[in-house]
Amino acid sequence: MKKHHTLYLLPILALASLPIMLGEADSLHPVLSGPDRAYLNTRVVFWCSTPSLSSKVKYRLIRDRRFLVGTKVSPKGDQIATFPLKVKAASDGSYQCKATAGESTGFSNRIKLSVVTPPSNTRVTSEPSPPVVYEGSLIRLSCDAEQGSHLNYTWYFNRKEITSSNSGFSIAGNKLVMEKVTLEQEGNYNCIVWSVVQDTSRYSTSAEVKVTVKVKISKPEISISVFKDGDNYLGNVTCWSSTGSPPVNFSLLLDDKEVRSITVTDSLAAWFDVPVVIGLNMGEAQCQGRTQVQDLKSETLTLDIVPVGGDVRVEVDYLYTAEAKLTAAKLSCHISRGTFPHFSWLLNDSILLSESQDNFQPQTDLSHRKQALILSKLSPENSGYYRCRARDSYEISGPWADSAAVLIQITDELLNSMAQASSCIETSQKLFTEVIMIVFCCFFLLMLAAASACVYKMFDHSQANTLSFHLSEPESQSAGLQSGTLSSDVQNQ
C-alpha cells in the first residue's frame, strides 16, 4: 500500500517543484554589450556581466541560439567577462549571453551583429553604352562596386558633388538618371562608394567617365554650283546643316530617288557631282540628312541651268544720311535671265578692279541675281560713264552681255549745293522745333488763363450767395416782429 501511495505522490511533488525550478532559471539576468556593426577581418569584443550577482558565474556566448562562440568563468557575477572575436563572413548573426550560477541559469539581451564588407574596385557604367546621347534623351549611370555591403553613394560632375539642389539630376541608390539631358550636362562623371562603422569610414573611388551630349541637326539645306569639265558640265550639289553633331549621313535625291549617299564624321556638309545640260531641266534635287534619331529633308532645288542673256541695265540710287547729306551712290546691274552670272564693271570703258581701288566697294547678292557697285567716296574723280556686263560664271571665255552706259557726274557745285541744302534742312528743322515750342507755350498760357477765369467766377458766385443769405434773414425777423405787434394790438382792443 505504501508503495502505491508513493507512486501517486510523485507527480504531485514534481508539479510542486516546477515553480521553484522556473524561479531559479529566471533568477539570473545577465547583460550583453558589444557592437552591432563590424568590418570584415577586424576584431571586436563582447562583454557579459550579471551586476546583481556576487557569486561565481559561468558565461557562454552563443550565436543564433545554437552556435557556441566562447566560454568564460568569472569569480563574481558583477565582474565583466570579455569575448574577443575576429570578424568573418560567418560572424554575421544574433548574439546572446547565457549565465549559469549553481542551479540558476539566465539569458541576456540579444545583439544583432552585421558584418560590413568595405567597397572595392568601383566603376561607373552607363545606359546606353558608350555614354553618347542626343540632346533631350535619357541616360542612366550606375555606380557599381565589385564587392561591399551597407554602401552609400556620392556622385560628382566635373569634380563637383551632385546634390539635391542640382536640377536635371535624379539619384536613386547607386543610379544617377538624367531624363532629358542638356548640353550643360556634358562632362566627366565619377562616384565614391563608402560605408561607415562607428567612426571609421572606408571609401572606393571610380574612374571618370566622359558623357557626350550631341546636338540634333538642323533642317538640311541645298545649293548648287556649275563648272566645266572638258566639253561637259557638272553640277556640284552641296548638302549641309547649320547646326548639329556629326556623324551625319547625307543623301542626294533626284525626283525622290536616292542617287548618292555619304556619311561625314568631322563636318556637317557633303558634296555630290551630277552631270547637267545647260538650258535643260534635269529634275528636282533634294538633300536628306539622317542621324540615329533624325531623318530630315531639305527644300527642293530645280536643276535648271539658264544661261545669261537678255536685257542688261544699270540702276543708280543715291544714299543719304539722317541729316539728308549725300554720302554714296549705289549702282546695281540687272539682267533678264541667267542662273550663275559673273559681273564686271567699267568706267569710261576701262575695267574697274575693286581690289586695287579704294573708292569702289563691290557687293554681290547672287540670290537676287544682281551685282552692286557702291561709290563710297564721292568726288569729281568718280564722274564718268558707268556700265556693267555679265556672262556665265562657268564659261571663262564666254560672251559678255553689256548694258548701256550711265553718266554719273559729281562736281564741286553739286557737293556744295548738297551741303547748303543740308544746312537749310537743319535750319528749317530748328525753326520748326522753335515754332512748335512757341505754339505749345501759347496754348499752355491760354489754358492757364481759362482755368483762372473759371476759378474767379466760381469764387465770385459763392460770395454772392453768401450776401443774399445774410440780407434775407433780417427781413424775415422784422416781418415776425410786425406780425407779433399786430396780434397784441388786436387782443388789447
Side-chain angles (χ1 to χ4, degrees):
M1 292 293 292
K2 289 182 179 181
K3 291 182 179 180
H4 289 291
H5 287 296
T6 303
L7 292 175
Y8 290 138
L9 290 174
L10 287 176
I12 297 173
L13 292 173
L15 292 174
S17 63
L18 182 61
I20 298 173
M21 293 174 63
L22 291 174
E24 290 177 353
D26 291 341
S27 62
L28 298 182
H29 300 285
V31 177
L32 178 67
S33 59
D36 59 351
R37 278 191 178 190
Y39 280 116
L40 184 67
N41 298 326
T42 60
R43 290 186 177 274
V44 295
V45 178
F46 286 96
W47 297 274
C48 191
S49 65
T50 308
S52 61
L53 187 65
S54 60
S55 61
K56 182 180 179 180
V57 183
K58 183 179 181 179
Y59 295 104
R60 293 180 178 87
L61 183 63
I62 302 171
R63 185 182 79 245
D64 296 334
R65 297 186 179 184
R66 62 183 185 275
F67 299 108
L68 179 63
V69 178
T71 302
K72 294 286 184 178
V73 177
S74 178
K76 290 184 179 182
D78 54 1
Q79 290 183 354
I80 298 175
T82 60
F83 293 91
L85 177 67
K86 184 177 181 180
V87 180
K88 301 179 181 179
S91 301
D92 193 282
S94 178
Y95 287 80
Q96 192 175 27
C97 181
K98 179 182 178 181
T100 303
E103 300 297 330
S104 300
T105 302
F107 290 91
S108 71
N109 55 295
R110 292 187 178 90
I111 295 178
K112 177 67 173 68
L113 176 63
S114 298
V115 177
V116 179
T117 304
S120 62
N121 298 331
T122 302
R123 63 192 184 95
V124 174
T125 59
S126 67
E127 183 184 347
S129 181
V132 178
V133 292
Y134 279 90
E135 216 177 355
S137 303
L138 180 142
I139 183 171
R140 184 180 290 106
L141 302 179
S142 300
C143 186
D144 300 313
E146 187 174 310
Q147 58 180 344
S149 62
H150 303 81
L151 301 178
N152 302 286
Y153 303 90
T154 304
W155 284 94
Y156 292 87
F157 171 50
N158 291 335
R159 302 186 179 183
K160 293 182 179 179
E161 183 179 350
I162 300 174
T163 63
S164 57
S165 61
N166 297 113
S167 61
F169 297 98
S170 176
I171 300 176
N174 69 327
K175 308 290 184 183
L176 176 64
V177 180
M178 292 165 275
E179 293 187 357
K180 293 183 178 180
V181 68
T182 63
L183 287 176
E184 289 74 17
Q185 292 173 315
E186 180 179 84
N188 296 314
Y189 290 81
N190 73 303
C191 67
I192 294 180
V193 184
W194 52 280
S195 59
V196 179
V197 174
Q198 303 301 327
D199 296 330
T200 304
S201 300
R202 300 287 181 86
Y203 298 90
S204 177
T205 305
S206 72
E208 289 186 334
V209 171
K210 169 73 173 182
V211 172
T212 302
V213 181
K214 301 174 69 174
V215 180
K216 293 182 178 180
I217 63 170
S218 58
K219 183 178 179 179
E221 299 181 58
I222 185 171
S223 64
I224 186 174
S225 61
V226 177
F227 63 95
K228 193 173 183 180
D229 183 17
D231 295 333
N232 300 319
Y233 297 92
L234 293 177
N236 184 258
V237 179
T238 303
C239 297
W240 81 95
S241 292
S242 56
T243 59
S245 298
V248 182
N249 179 265
F250 285 108
S251 299
L252 176 63
L253 308 179
L254 287 180
D255 296 330
D256 291 330
K257 293 182 180 180
E258 183 177 316
V259 294
R260 286 277 197 81
S261 178
I262 187 173
T263 299
V264 293
T265 58
D266 55 356
S267 67
L268 292 173
W271 293 267
F272 305 95
D273 289 339
V274 294
V276 294
V277 178
I278 305 302
L280 180 64
N281 192 331
M282 306 294 293
E284 300 289 332
Q286 201 172 16
C287 287
Q288 183 176 22
R290 287 187 293 249
T291 65
Q292 294 177 348
V293 295
Q294 290 177 282
D295 189 350
L296 304 174
K297 290 183 179 180
S298 69
E299 300 293 336
T300 57
L301 175 66
T302 302
L303 298 182
D304 187 10
I305 313 303
V306 179
V308 172
D311 182 40
V312 182
R313 69 185 188 280
V314 175
E315 291 184 359
V316 182
D317 293 314
Y318 292 97
L319 307 179
Y320 296 88
T321 63
E323 293 79 17
K325 181 180 179 181
L326 180 63
T327 58
K330 179 180 178 181
L331 286 73
S332 302
C333 186
H334 297 270
I335 59 175
S336 298
R337 63 178 183 271
T339 307
F340 296 103
H342 174 74
F343 296 95
S344 177
W345 285 93
L346 297 91
L347 172 59
N348 298 327
D349 292 332
S350 297
I351 299 176
L352 291 176
L353 301 177
S354 58
E355 294 81 1
S356 60
Q357 300 186 22
D358 297 334
N359 293 340
F360 304 98
Q361 295 181 359
Q363 289 188 349
T364 307
D365 190 354
L366 293 180
S367 62
H368 292 82
R369 300 183 177 89
K370 67 181 181 180
Q371 172 92 3
L373 180 70
I374 295 180
L375 307 182
S376 58
K377 297 179 181 179
L378 296 178
S379 65
E381 298 176 356
N382 300 133
S383 300
Y385 289 91
Y386 287 84
R387 63 184 178 91
C388 70
R389 57 182 183 173
R391 63 166 174 81
D392 294 312
S393 60
Y394 48 83
E395 290 284 1
I396 298 178
S397 59
W400 292 91
D402 295 297
S403 71
V406 174
L407 176 62
I408 302 294
Q409 191 165 7
I410 302 172
T411 61
D412 294 333
E413 292 78 5
L414 175 64
L415 295 176
N416 293 333
S417 63
M418 288 295 178
Q420 293 175 0
S422 175
S423 61
C424 291
I425 292 174
E426 292 178 357
T427 304
S428 61
Q429 288 178 345
K430 292 181 180 179
L431 181 61
F432 180 74
T433 303
E434 293 176 357
V435 169
I436 292 296
M437 292 298 294
I438 293 173
V439 171
F440 177 77
C441 292
C442 293
F443 177 76
F444 179 75
L445 292 175
L446 180 62
M447 293 299 294
L448 184 62
S452 301
C454 291
V455 171
Y456 175 76
K457 288 184 179 181
M458 292 173 62
F459 181 75
D460 185 51
H461 182 66
S462 61
Q463 283 185 342
N465 290 338
T466 304
L467 181 61
S468 63
F469 174 76
H470 288 299
L471 290 175
S472 60
E473 184 177 359
E475 291 177 358
S476 61
Q477 291 178 356
S478 61
L481 291 174
Q482 291 178 1
S483 60
T485 305
L486 180 61
S487 61
S488 63
D489 292 341
V490 172
Q491 290 176 358
N492 294 331
Q493 290 179 2

